[in-house]
Amino acid sequence: MKKPQFIFILAAVFGTAAFILALVGDMRCHFIKFTDTASATSDPISIEFGIWYQESIAYSSSASEKIAVTKSCKSYSDSITIDGNWKAARAFSILSFFFGSTVLIINLVACCARPNKSKVIV
């Protein structure tokens, strides 16, 4: 029974999407979020952390007393102690990148350059 070519293309599309989403999830600082629920303000303070980066919040005010908030992702400082679980999460994020990219490239090549299986090569 011959499998249609679109199944291989569909697998390549889903594999590409999974690889990109995993990469974005690992490299952003939006992995876990802590929100201050004890404050009585209408806009609680929250900060987000990732496997490799943390959210940095910078406040600046001008002469008109308006406060500007700038959020960005930055690397963890050297003063942060990284435990074994955190190191394992980082190691597996690196492994998933390399194995995922290898499988993705093999899948894309196999999708586009499948040999004709009806010919027998001796």
Side-chain angles (χ1 to χ4, degrees):
M1 185 172 165
K2 186 176 180 181
K3 292 184 180 181
Q5 183 71 18
F6 76 92
I7 291 177
F8 296 105
I9 294 172
L10 189 65
V13 168
F14 281 127
T16 304
F19 177 72
I20 290 171
L21 290 173
L23 185 63
V24 168
D26 283 344
M27 295 300 145
R28 296 286 306 202
C29 61
H30 307 294
F31 193 75
I32 189 167
K33 179 179 182 178
F34 293 105
T35 303
D36 178 24
T37 56
S39 67
T41 62
S42 62
D43 190 21
I45 297 171
S46 65
I47 190 162
E48 298 178 2
F49 299 94
I51 295 174
W52 295 96
Y53 301 102
Q54 69 180 358
E55 185 178 54
S56 172
I57 302 173
Y59 298 98
S60 61
S61 61
S62 63
S64 63
E65 296 297 324
K66 291 185 179 180
I67 297 174
V69 178
T70 305
K71 293 184 176 185
S72 63
C73 292
K74 69 172 191 169
S75 297
Y76 288 102
S77 66
D78 292 336
S79 64
I80 302 291
T81 303
I82 299 174
D83 64 349
N85 294 334
W86 198 346
K87 288 179 183 178
R90 284 183 167 189
F92 280 108
S93 73
I94 292 170
L95 288 174
S96 70
F97 172 74
F98 286 115
F99 287 134
S101 61
T102 303
V103 169
L104 179 64
I105 290 169
I106 291 170
N107 193 11
L108 290 174
V109 169
C111 173
C112 297
R114 275 188 72 219
N116 190 356
K117 297 209 179 215
S118 63
K119 294 181 181 179
V120 177
I121 301 173
V122 180

